[in-house]
Coordinates of all heavy atoms in Angstrom, one line a residue:
M1 N 11.2 -0.2 -11.4 CA 10.9 -0.1 -10.0 C 10.4 1.3 -9.7 O 10.9 2.3 -10.2 CB 12.1 -0.5 -9.2 CG 11.8 -1.0 -7.8 SD 11.1 -2.6 -7.8 CE 12.5 -3.6 -7.8
L2 N 9.4 1.3 -8.9 CA 8.8 2.6 -8.5 C 9.4 3.1 -7.2 O 9.3 2.4 -6.2 CB 7.3 2.4 -8.3 CG 6.4 3.7 -8.1 CD1 6.3 4.5 -9.3 CD2 5.0 3.3 -7.6
N3 N 10.1 4.2 -7.3 CA 10.9 4.6 -6.1 C 10.4 6.0 -5.6 O 11.2 6.7 -4.9 CB 12.4 4.7 -6.4 CG 12.9 3.3 -6.3 OD1 12.5 2.5 -5.5 ND2 13.9 3.0 -7.2
I4 N 9.2 6.4 -6.0 CA 8.8 7.7 -5.5 C 8.0 7.5 -4.2 O 7.3 6.5 -4.0 CB 7.9 8.5 -6.5 CG1 6.8 7.6 -7.1 CG2 8.8 9.1 -7.6 CD1 5.7 8.3 -7.8
D5 N 8.1 8.5 -3.3 CA 7.4 8.5 -2.0 C 6.0 9.0 -2.3 O 5.7 10.2 -2.5 CB 8.1 9.3 -1.0 CG 7.4 9.2 0.4 OD1 6.4 8.5 0.5 OD2 8.0 9.8 1.4
L6 N 5.0 8.1 -2.2 CA 3.6 8.4 -2.6 C 3.0 9.5 -1.6 O 2.1 10.2 -1.9 CB 2.7 7.2 -2.6 CG 3.0 6.2 -3.8 CD1 2.1 5.0 -3.6 CD2 2.8 6.9 -5.1
R7 N 3.6 9.5 -0.4 CA 3.1 10.5 0.6 C 3.3 11.9 0.2 O 2.6 12.8 0.7 CB 3.9 10.3 1.9 CG 3.5 9.1 2.7 CD 4.3 9.0 4.0 NE 4.1 7.8 4.7 CZ 4.9 6.7 4.4 NH1 5.7 6.7 3.4 NH2 4.7 5.6 5.1
K8 N 4.2 12.2 -0.8 CA 4.4 13.5 -1.3 C 3.2 13.9 -2.2 O 3.0 15.1 -2.5 CB 5.7 13.6 -2.1 CG 6.9 13.6 -1.1 CD 8.2 13.7 -1.9 CE 9.4 13.6 -0.9 NZ 10.6 13.1 -1.5
I9 N 2.6 12.9 -2.8 CA 1.5 13.2 -3.8 C 0.1 13.0 -3.2 O -0.8 13.7 -3.5 CB 1.7 12.3 -5.0 CG1 3.1 12.3 -5.5 CG2 0.8 12.7 -6.1 CD1 3.5 11.2 -6.4
Y10 N 0.0 12.0 -2.3 CA -1.3 11.6 -1.8 C -1.4 11.9 -0.3 O -0.4 11.9 0.4 CB -1.6 10.1 -2.0 CG -1.7 9.7 -3.4 CD1 -0.6 9.3 -4.1 CD2 -3.0 9.8 -4.0 CE1 -0.8 8.9 -5.5 CE2 -3.1 9.4 -5.3 CZ -2.0 9.0 -6.1 OH -2.2 8.6 -7.4
L11 N -2.6 12.1 0.2 CA -2.9 12.2 1.6 C -3.5 10.9 2.0 O -4.5 10.4 1.4 CB -4.0 13.3 1.7 CG -4.0 14.1 3.1 CD1 -2.7 14.8 3.3 CD2 -5.1 15.1 3.0
F12 N -3.0 10.2 2.9 CA -3.4 8.8 3.3 C -4.2 8.8 4.6 O -3.8 9.5 5.6 CB -2.2 7.9 3.4 CG -1.6 7.6 2.0 CD1 -0.3 8.1 1.8 CD2 -2.3 6.9 1.1 CE1 0.2 7.8 0.5 CE2 -1.7 6.6 -0.2 CZ -0.5 7.1 -0.4
K13 N -5.2 8.1 4.6 CA -6.0 7.9 5.8 C -6.2 6.4 6.0 O -6.7 5.7 5.1 CB -7.4 8.6 5.7 CG -7.7 9.6 6.8 CD -9.1 10.2 6.5 CE -10.0 9.9 7.6 NZ -11.3 10.4 7.4
P14 N -5.9 5.8 7.2 CA -6.0 4.4 7.4 C -7.5 4.0 7.3 O -8.4 4.8 7.7 CB -5.5 4.2 8.9 CG -4.7 5.4 9.2 CD -5.2 6.5 8.3
V15 N -7.8 2.9 6.7 CA -9.1 2.3 6.6 C -9.5 1.8 8.0 O -8.8 1.0 8.6 CB -9.2 1.2 5.5 CG1 -10.6 0.5 5.6 CG2 -8.9 1.8 4.2
E16 N -10.7 2.3 8.5 CA -11.2 1.9 9.8 C -12.6 1.3 9.7 O -13.4 1.8 8.9 CB -11.3 3.1 10.7 CG -10.0 3.8 11.0 CD -9.1 3.1 12.0 OE1 -9.5 2.1 12.6 OE2 -7.9 3.5 12.1
P17 N -12.8 0.2 10.4 CA -11.9 -0.6 11.2 C -10.9 -1.3 10.3 O -11.1 -1.5 9.1 CB -12.8 -1.6 11.9 CG -14.0 -1.8 11.0 CD -14.2 -0.4 10.4
A18 N -9.7 -1.6 10.8 CA -8.6 -2.2 10.0 C -9.2 -3.5 9.4 O -9.7 -4.4 10.1 CB -7.4 -2.5 10.9
P19 N -9.0 -3.7 8.1 CA -9.5 -4.9 7.4 C -8.7 -6.2 7.9 O -7.6 -6.1 8.4 CB -9.1 -4.7 6.0 CG -8.9 -3.2 5.9 CD -8.4 -2.8 7.2
D20 N -9.4 -7.3 7.8 CA -8.9 -8.6 8.2 C -7.6 -8.9 7.3 O -7.7 -8.9 6.1 CB -9.9 -9.7 8.0 CG -9.5 -11.1 8.4 OD1 -8.3 -11.2 8.8 OD2 -10.3 -12.0 8.4
P21 N -6.5 -9.2 7.9 CA -5.3 -9.4 7.2 C -5.4 -10.6 6.2 O -4.7 -10.7 5.2 CB -4.2 -9.7 8.2 CG -4.7 -9.1 9.5 CD -6.2 -9.1 9.4
A22 N -6.4 -11.5 6.6 CA -6.6 -12.7 5.7 C -7.3 -12.4 4.4 O -7.2 -13.1 3.4 CB -7.4 -13.7 6.5
S23 N -8.0 -11.2 4.4 CA -8.6 -10.8 3.1 C -8.6 -9.3 3.0 O -9.5 -8.6 3.2 CB -10.1 -11.3 3.1 OG -10.8 -10.8 4.2
L24 N -7.4 -8.9 2.6 CA -7.1 -7.4 2.4 C -7.9 -6.9 1.2 O -7.9 -7.6 0.2 CB -5.6 -7.2 2.3 CG -4.8 -7.5 3.5 CD1 -3.3 -7.3 3.1 CD2 -5.1 -6.5 4.6
P25 N -8.6 -5.8 1.4 CA -9.3 -5.3 0.2 C -8.4 -4.6 -0.8 O -7.3 -4.2 -0.4 CB -10.2 -4.2 0.9 CG -9.4 -3.7 2.1 CD -8.7 -5.0 2.6
V26 N -8.8 -4.7 -2.0 CA -8.0 -4.0 -3.1 C -8.9 -3.0 -3.8 O -10.1 -3.1 -3.9 CB -7.4 -5.0 -4.1 CG1 -6.4 -5.9 -3.5 CG2 -8.5 -5.8 -4.8
G27 N -8.2 -2.0 -4.4 CA -8.9 -1.0 -5.1 C -8.0 0.1 -5.6 O -6.9 0.3 -5.0
G28 N -8.4 0.9 -6.6 CA -7.6 1.9 -7.1 C -7.2 3.0 -6.1 O -6.2 3.6 -6.3
D29 N -8.1 3.2 -5.1 CA -7.8 4.3 -4.2 C -7.3 3.7 -2.9 O -7.2 4.4 -1.9 CB -9.1 5.1 -3.9 CG -10.2 4.3 -3.3 OD1 -10.2 3.1 -3.4 OD2 -11.1 5.0 -2.6
L30 N -7.0 2.4 -2.8 CA -6.5 1.7 -1.6 C -5.0 1.5 -1.7 O -4.5 1.0 -2.8 CB -7.2 0.4 -1.4 CG -8.7 0.6 -1.0 CD1 -9.3 -0.8 -0.8 CD2 -8.9 1.4 0.3
Y31 N -4.3 1.8 -0.7 CA -2.8 1.7 -0.6 C -2.4 0.9 0.6 O -3.1 0.9 1.6 CB -2.2 3.1 -0.6 CG -2.5 3.9 -1.8 CD1 -3.7 4.5 -2.0 CD2 -1.5 4.0 -2.8 CE1 -4.0 5.2 -3.2 CE2 -1.7 4.8 -4.0 CZ -3.0 5.4 -4.1 OH -3.2 6.1 -5.3
Y32 N -1.3 0.2 0.5 CA -0.8 -0.6 1.6 C 0.5 0.0 2.1 O 1.4 0.3 1.3 CB -0.5 -2.1 1.2 CG -1.7 -2.9 0.8 CD1 -1.6 -4.2 0.3 CD2 -3.0 -2.4 0.9 CE1 -2.6 -4.9 -0.1 CE2 -4.1 -3.1 0.5 CZ -3.9 -4.4 0.0 OH -5.0 -5.2 -0.4
E33 N 0.5 0.2 3.4 CA 1.7 0.7 4.0 C 2.4 -0.6 4.6 O 1.8 -1.2 5.4 CB 1.5 1.7 5.1 CG 2.8 2.1 5.8 CD 2.6 3.1 6.9 OE1 1.5 3.2 7.4 OE2 3.6 3.8 7.3
C34 N 3.6 -0.8 4.3 CA 4.4 -1.9 4.9 C 4.8 -1.4 6.2 O 5.6 -0.5 6.3 CB 5.6 -2.3 4.0 SG 6.6 -3.6 4.8
L35 N 4.4 -2.2 7.3 CA 4.8 -1.7 8.6 C 6.2 -2.1 9.0 O 6.8 -1.5 9.9 CB 3.8 -2.4 9.7 CG 2.3 -2.0 9.5 CD1 1.5 -2.7 10.5 CD2 2.1 -0.5 9.6
D36 N 6.9 -2.9 8.2 CA 8.3 -3.2 8.4 C 9.2 -2.2 7.9 O 10.2 -1.9 8.5 CB 8.6 -4.6 7.8 CG 8.1 -5.7 8.6 OD1 7.5 -5.5 9.7 OD2 8.2 -6.9 8.2
C37 N 8.9 -1.5 6.8 CA 9.8 -0.6 6.2 C 9.1 0.8 5.8 O 9.8 1.6 5.3 CB 10.5 -1.2 4.9 SG 9.3 -1.4 3.6
T38 N 7.8 0.9 6.1 CA 7.0 2.1 5.9 C 6.8 2.5 4.5 O 6.3 3.6 4.2 CB 7.6 3.4 6.7 OG1 8.7 3.9 6.1 CG2 7.9 3.0 8.2
T39 N 7.2 1.7 3.5 CA 6.9 2.0 2.1 C 5.4 1.9 1.9 O 4.7 1.0 2.4 CB 7.6 1.0 1.2 OG1 9.0 1.0 1.5 CG2 7.4 1.4 -0.3
V40 N 4.9 2.8 1.1 CA 3.5 2.8 0.7 C 3.3 2.5 -0.8 O 4.0 3.1 -1.6 CB 2.8 4.2 0.9 CG1 1.3 4.2 0.4 CG2 2.8 4.5 2.4
L41 N 2.5 1.4 -1.1 CA 2.3 1.0 -2.5 C 0.8 0.9 -2.8 O 0.0 0.6 -1.9 CB 3.0 -0.3 -2.8 CG 4.5 -0.4 -2.7 CD1 5.0 -1.8 -2.9 CD2 5.1 0.6 -3.7
N42 N 0.4 1.2 -4.0 CA -1.0 1.0 -4.4 C -1.3 -0.5 -4.4 O -0.5 -1.3 -4.7 CB -1.2 1.6 -5.8 CG -2.7 1.6 -6.2 OD1 -3.2 0.7 -6.8 ND2 -3.4 2.6 -5.7
S43 N -2.6 -0.8 -4.0 CA -3.0 -2.2 -3.9 C -3.2 -2.8 -5.3 O -3.3 -4.1 -5.4 CB -4.3 -2.3 -3.1 OG -5.3 -1.6 -3.6
V44 N -3.4 -2.0 -6.3 CA -3.5 -2.6 -7.7 C -2.4 -1.9 -8.6 O -2.8 -1.1 -9.5 CB -4.9 -2.4 -8.3 CG1 -5.8 -3.5 -7.7 CG2 -5.5 -1.0 -8.1
P45 N -1.1 -2.2 -8.3 CA -0.1 -1.5 -9.1 C 0.0 -1.9 -10.5 O 0.1 -3.2 -10.8 CB 1.2 -1.9 -8.3 CG 0.9 -3.2 -7.7 CD -0.6 -3.2 -7.4
H46 N 0.1 -1.0 -11.4 CA 0.2 -1.4 -12.8 C 1.7 -1.4 -13.2 O 2.1 -2.2 -14.1 CB -0.6 -0.4 -13.7 CG -2.0 -0.5 -13.5 ND1 -2.7 -1.6 -13.9 CD2 -2.9 0.3 -12.8 CE1 -4.0 -1.5 -13.5 NE2 -4.1 -0.4 -12.8
I47 N 2.5 -0.6 -12.6 CA 3.9 -0.6 -12.8 C 4.6 -1.5 -11.8 O 4.1 -1.7 -10.7 CB 4.6 0.8 -12.6 CG1 3.6 1.9 -12.9 CG2 5.8 0.9 -13.5 CD1 4.1 3.3 -12.4
K48 N 5.7 -2.2 -12.2 CA 6.4 -3.0 -11.3 C 6.9 -2.2 -10.1 O 7.4 -1.1 -10.2 CB 7.7 -3.6 -12.0 CG 7.5 -5.0 -12.4 CD 8.9 -5.5 -12.9 CE 8.9 -7.0 -12.8 NZ 10.2 -7.6 -12.9
C49 N 6.6 -2.8 -8.9 CA 7.0 -2.1 -7.7 C 7.3 -3.1 -6.5 O 6.8 -4.2 -6.6 CB 6.0 -1.1 -7.2 SG 4.4 -1.8 -6.9
A50 N 8.0 -2.6 -5.5 CA 8.2 -3.4 -4.4 C 8.6 -2.5 -3.2 O 9.2 -1.5 -3.4 CB 9.4 -4.4 -4.6
C51 N 8.3 -3.0 -2.0 CA 8.8 -2.2 -0.8 C 10.2 -2.6 -0.5 O 10.7 -3.5 -1.0 CB 7.8 -2.4 0.4 SG 8.0 -4.0 1.2
V52 N 10.8 -1.7 0.3 CA 12.2 -1.9 0.6 C 12.6 -3.2 1.2 O 13.6 -3.8 0.8 CB 12.7 -0.8 1.6 CG1 14.1 -0.9 2.0 CG2 12.4 0.6 1.0
C53 N 11.7 -3.8 2.1 CA 12.1 -5.0 2.7 C 11.6 -6.3 2.0 O 11.9 -7.4 2.3 CB 11.5 -5.1 4.1 SG 9.8 -5.3 4.2
G54 N 10.8 -6.1 0.9 CA 10.3 -7.2 0.1 C 9.0 -7.8 0.5 O 8.6 -8.8 0.0
N55 N 8.4 -7.2 1.5 CA 7.1 -7.8 2.0 C 6.0 -7.6 0.9 O 5.2 -8.5 0.7 CB 6.7 -7.1 3.3 CG 5.4 -7.5 3.8 OD1 4.9 -8.7 3.6 ND2 4.7 -6.7 4.6
L56 N 6.1 -6.5 0.2 CA 5.1 -6.2 -0.8 C 5.8 -6.1 -2.2 O 6.8 -5.4 -2.3 CB 4.5 -4.8 -0.6 CG 3.9 -4.5 0.8 CD1 3.5 -3.0 0.9 CD2 2.7 -5.4 1.0
V57 N 5.3 -7.0 -3.1 CA 5.9 -7.0 -4.4 C 4.7 -7.0 -5.4 O 3.8 -7.8 -5.3 CB 6.8 -8.2 -4.7 CG1 7.3 -8.3 -6.1 CG2 7.9 -8.3 -3.7
G58 N 4.8 -6.0 -6.4 CA 3.6 -5.9 -7.2 C 4.0 -5.6 -8.7 O 5.1 -5.4 -9.0
G59 N 2.9 -5.6 -9.5 CA 3.0 -5.3 -10.9 C 1.8 -5.9 -11.6 O 1.3 -6.9 -11.2
G60 N 1.5 -5.4 -12.8 CA 0.4 -6.0 -13.6 C -0.9 -6.0 -12.9 O -1.8 -6.9 -13.2
G61 N -1.2 -5.0 -12.0 CA -2.5 -4.9 -11.4 C -2.6 -5.8 -10.1 O -3.7 -5.9 -9.6
E62 N -1.5 -6.4 -9.7 CA -1.6 -7.3 -8.5 C -0.5 -7.0 -7.6 O 0.7 -6.8 -8.0 CB -1.6 -8.7 -9.0 CG -2.2 -9.7 -8.0 CD -2.0 -11.2 -8.4 OE1 -1.8 -11.4 -9.6 OE2 -2.1 -12.0 -7.5
L63 N -0.8 -7.0 -6.3 CA 0.2 -6.8 -5.2 C 0.3 -8.0 -4.4 O -0.7 -8.4 -3.8 CB -0.1 -5.5 -4.4 CG 0.9 -5.1 -3.4 CD1 2.2 -4.6 -4.2 CD2 0.4 -4.0 -2.5
K64 N 1.4 -8.6 -4.3 CA 1.6 -9.8 -3.5 C 2.1 -9.4 -2.1 O 3.1 -8.7 -2.0 CB 2.6 -10.8 -4.2 CG 2.0 -11.4 -5.4 CD 2.8 -12.6 -5.8 CE 2.1 -13.4 -7.0 NZ 2.1 -12.6 -8.2
V65 N 1.5 -9.9 -1.1 CA 1.9 -9.6 0.3 C 2.4 -10.8 1.0 O 1.7 -11.8 1.1 CB 0.6 -9.0 1.0 CG1 1.0 -8.6 2.4 CG2 0.0 -7.9 0.3
S66 N 3.6 -10.8 1.4 CA 4.2 -11.9 2.1 C 3.7 -12.0 3.6 O 3.4 -13.1 4.0 CB 5.8 -11.8 2.1 OG 6.2 -11.7 0.8
K67 N 3.6 -10.8 4.2 CA 3.2 -10.8 5.6 C 2.0 -9.9 5.8 O 2.2 -8.7 6.1 CB 4.3 -10.4 6.5 CG 5.5 -11.4 6.6 CD 6.6 -10.9 7.4 CE 7.5 -9.8 6.7 NZ 8.6 -9.3 7.6
P68 N 0.8 -10.4 5.5 CA -0.4 -9.5 5.6 C -0.6 -8.8 6.9 O -1.3 -7.8 7.0 CB -1.6 -10.5 5.3 CG -0.9 -11.6 4.6 CD 0.4 -11.8 5.2
T69 N -0.1 -9.4 8.0 CA -0.3 -8.8 9.3 C 0.6 -7.5 9.4 O 0.4 -6.7 10.3 CB 0.1 -9.8 10.4 OG1 1.3 -10.3 10.2 CG2 -1.0 -10.9 10.5
Q70 N 1.6 -7.4 8.6 CA 2.5 -6.2 8.6 C 2.1 -5.2 7.6 O 2.9 -4.6 7.0 CB 3.9 -6.7 8.4 CG 4.5 -7.5 9.5 CD 4.4 -6.8 10.8 OE1 3.6 -7.0 11.7 NE2 5.3 -5.8 11.0
V71 N 0.8 -5.1 7.3 CA 0.3 -4.1 6.3 C -0.8 -3.2 6.9 O -1.7 -3.7 7.7 CB -0.3 -4.9 5.1 CG1 -1.1 -4.0 4.2 CG2 0.8 -5.5 4.3
R72 N -0.7 -1.9 6.7 CA -1.8 -1.0 7.0 C -2.5 -0.6 5.8 O -1.9 -0.1 4.8 CB -1.3 0.2 7.8 CG -2.3 1.2 8.2 CD -1.8 2.4 8.9 NE -1.3 2.0 10.2 CZ -0.1 2.4 10.7 NH1 0.7 3.2 10.0 NH2 0.3 2.1 11.9
V73 N -3.8 -0.8 5.7 CA -4.6 -0.4 4.5 C -5.0 1.0 4.7 O -5.6 1.4 5.7 CB -5.8 -1.3 4.3 CG1 -6.5 -1.0 3.0 CG2 -5.4 -2.8 4.3
M74 N -4.7 1.8 3.6 CA -5.0 3.2 3.7 C -5.7 3.7 2.4 O -5.5 3.1 1.3 CB -3.8 4.1 3.9 CG -3.0 3.6 5.1 SD -1.7 4.8 5.5 CE -0.6 4.7 4.1
R75 N -6.6 4.7 2.6 CA -7.2 5.3 1.4 C -6.5 6.5 1.0 O -6.2 7.3 1.9 CB -8.7 5.6 1.7 CG -9.5 6.0 0.5 CD -11.0 5.8 0.8 NE -11.4 4.5 0.4 CZ -12.0 3.6 1.2 NH1 -12.3 3.9 2.4 NH2 -12.3 2.4 0.7
G76 N -6.1 6.6 -0.3 CA -5.3 7.8 -0.7 C -6.1 8.8 -1.5 O -6.9 8.4 -2.4
K77 N -5.9 10.0 -1.3 CA -6.5 11.1 -2.1 C -5.4 12.0 -2.6 O -4.5 12.4 -1.8 CB -7.4 11.9 -1.2 CG -8.8 11.3 -1.1 CD -9.8 12.4 -0.6 CE -11.2 11.8 -0.5 NZ -11.8 11.8 0.8
L78 N -5.4 12.4 -3.8 CA -4.5 13.4 -4.3 C -4.5 14.7 -3.5 O -5.6 15.1 -3.2 CB -4.7 13.7 -5.8 CG -4.2 12.7 -6.8 CD1 -4.8 13.0 -8.2 CD2 -2.7 12.6 -6.8
K79 N -3.3 15.2 -3.2 CA -3.3 16.4 -2.4 C -3.8 17.6 -3.2 O -3.6 17.6 -4.4 CB -1.8 16.7 -1.9 CG -1.4 15.8 -0.7 CD -0.1 16.2 -0.2 CE 0.3 15.3 1.0 NZ 1.7 15.5 1.4
Ligands
ZN101 ZN1 8.5 -3.5 3.4

């Protein structure tokens, strides 16, 4: 499980305009913030990961989103 706070490493900027929850974009520089628990995860996670509340669960290059409306898509840059 990935338990580091990505905000300490990356600078996040919300993608504008906010993407349609029905078709969230994915990419190596795109991150999803779970609005229910504020966890930030990469949209193409290679290591097993999950947010605190279980809305986002990922691994193997795929992130499964239970409630897409509770996700903020952000672009991350290394600080
Ligand atoms: Zn969550």
Side-chain angles (χ1 to χ4, degrees):
M1 204 69 87
L2 188 70
N3 281 324
I4 47 165
D5 186 356
L6 292 177
R7 288 183 189 81
K8 288 181 180 155
I9 312 165
Y10 293 92
L11 208 62
F12 292 112
K13 234 180 116 181
V15 171
E16 300 283 353
D20 184 354
S23 57
L24 294 171
V26 293
D29 65 337
L30 292 178
Y31 295 78
Y32 295 175
E33 177 184 20
C34 175
L35 299 178
D36 283 354
C37 67
T38 76
T39 304
V40 176
L41 295 175
N42 189 263
S43 62
V44 283
H46 294 290
I47 333 165
K48 258 188 153 195
C49 60
C51 75
V52 177
C53 74
N55 180 23
L56 308 173
V57 179
E62 205 186 336
L63 190 65
K64 290 195 173 67
V65 183
S66 302
K67 295 179 280 181
T69 52
Q70 291 303 103
V71 166
R72 178 181 292 136
V73 183
M74 305 193 293
R75 188 158 272 124
K77 275 197 180 121
L78 278 171
K79 280 185 180 173

